[in-house]
Amino acid sequence: MSKTEEQFDRITAACREIFILKMKDYGPAWRIMRPQTVNDQLFIKAKRIRTIETTGENRVGDSIKGELMAIVNYSIVGLIQLECHYADAVDMTRDQALLLYDKYLAQAKKLMLDKNHDYGEAWRDMASTSLTDIILTKINRNKSIAAHDEKTLVSEGSDGNYFDMLNYAVFSLIQMEEQH
């Protein structure tokens, strides 16, 4: 197993554990979220990271690490919502939600490994602020796609952007881990 794969597994296991704990607190309450709401949740997390990076100030106290982990989890929520569509009430069990979570996490890992092969792990040489900006760009793309009823003419759909956001958030977490 490669170093990156081990780091990915360790970090996403921690994200998964938070997802499980939140589901114990709230269940899959996020099932009622429409696409724009999922994108807005991602936006506030990424925007907060960018503001802290830009100002150097963190008044709320929640860590950037926690926000990046939330981006991983909300990206998976977005993928689940694309597959199952939003509901008017919670319509799945925690176990069903976790099965879908694991399905999309496995797909994200495969995509990460394939892209890392082709791109030579270029993200390792990127500034963490660039990773934040790319995540924000992907969020804005998804907001536009959602406003057009998930239809695109030549671009990848929301699913590709969610997978990329998830993986870029993991890359940021790996960079943070390696800096400490």
Side-chain angles (χ1 to χ4, degrees):
M1 186 182 301
S2 73
K3 176 182 175 187
T4 300
E5 190 173 357
E6 290 174 10
Q7 291 170 310
F8 182 95
D9 288 346
R10 182 175 53 258
I11 286 168
T12 57
C15 294
R16 185 180 187 275
E17 184 59 30
I18 290 170
F19 186 81
I20 290 169
L21 292 172
K22 295 263 186 183
M23 292 251 289
K24 286 181 181 175
D25 287 345
Y26 312 124
W30 44 264
R31 285 291 295 129
I32 67 164
M33 293 172 75
R34 291 175 283 190
Q36 286 291 19
T37 308
V38 175
N39 294 323
D40 282 341
Q41 281 296 116
L42 285 158
F43 177 76
I44 62 174
K45 301 297 182 187
K47 182 68 174 171
R48 182 166 180 274
I49 293 167
R50 184 172 165 146
T51 300
I52 293 168
E53 289 172 346
T54 303
T55 66
E57 254 185 282
N58 179 353
R59 292 186 183 179
V60 175
D62 295 336
S63 69
I64 289 176
K65 178 181 177 181
E67 301 292 23
L68 288 165
M69 294 174 86
I71 289 171
V72 169
N73 287 339
Y74 275 116
S75 294
I76 293 176
V77 165
L79 290 162
I80 293 170
Q81 295 297 76
L82 284 176
E83 177 181 335
C84 300
H85 307 287
Y86 67 90
D88 289 328
V90 176
D91 63 347
M92 71 175 53
T93 66
R94 289 183 213 146
D95 290 340
Q96 290 169 320
L98 194 55
L99 283 173
L100 289 165
Y101 184 99
D102 290 341
K103 169 186 161 180
Y104 286 113
L105 185 57
Q107 289 178 19
K109 180 179 177 180
K110 181 183 180 329
L111 178 66
M112 179 274 300
L113 292 171
D114 291 345
K115 284 190 173 186
N116 270 353
H117 172 271
D118 289 356
Y119 290 93
E121 295 199 336
W123 61 270
R124 287 192 179 275
D125 297 320
M126 293 172 62
S128 62
T129 54
S130 294
L131 297 174
T132 302
D133 290 351
I134 292 169
I135 291 168
L136 278 164
T137 300
K138 300 285 183 178
I139 293 164
N140 283 321
R141 287 179 181 177
N142 272 9
K143 289 174 103 177
S144 180
I145 292 169
H148 294 104
D149 296 320
E150 297 299 318
K151 293 178 179 76
T152 59
L153 299 174
V154 296
S155 305
E156 68 182 347
S158 293
D159 58 338
N161 290 314
Y162 285 132
F163 280 121
D164 286 347
M165 285 183 252
L166 186 162
N167 284 328
Y168 280 116
V170 171
F171 295 158
S172 289
L173 288 161
I174 290 171
Q175 284 184 347
M176 288 175 69
E177 191 178 79
E178 288 180 342
Q179 289 172 357
H180 290 95

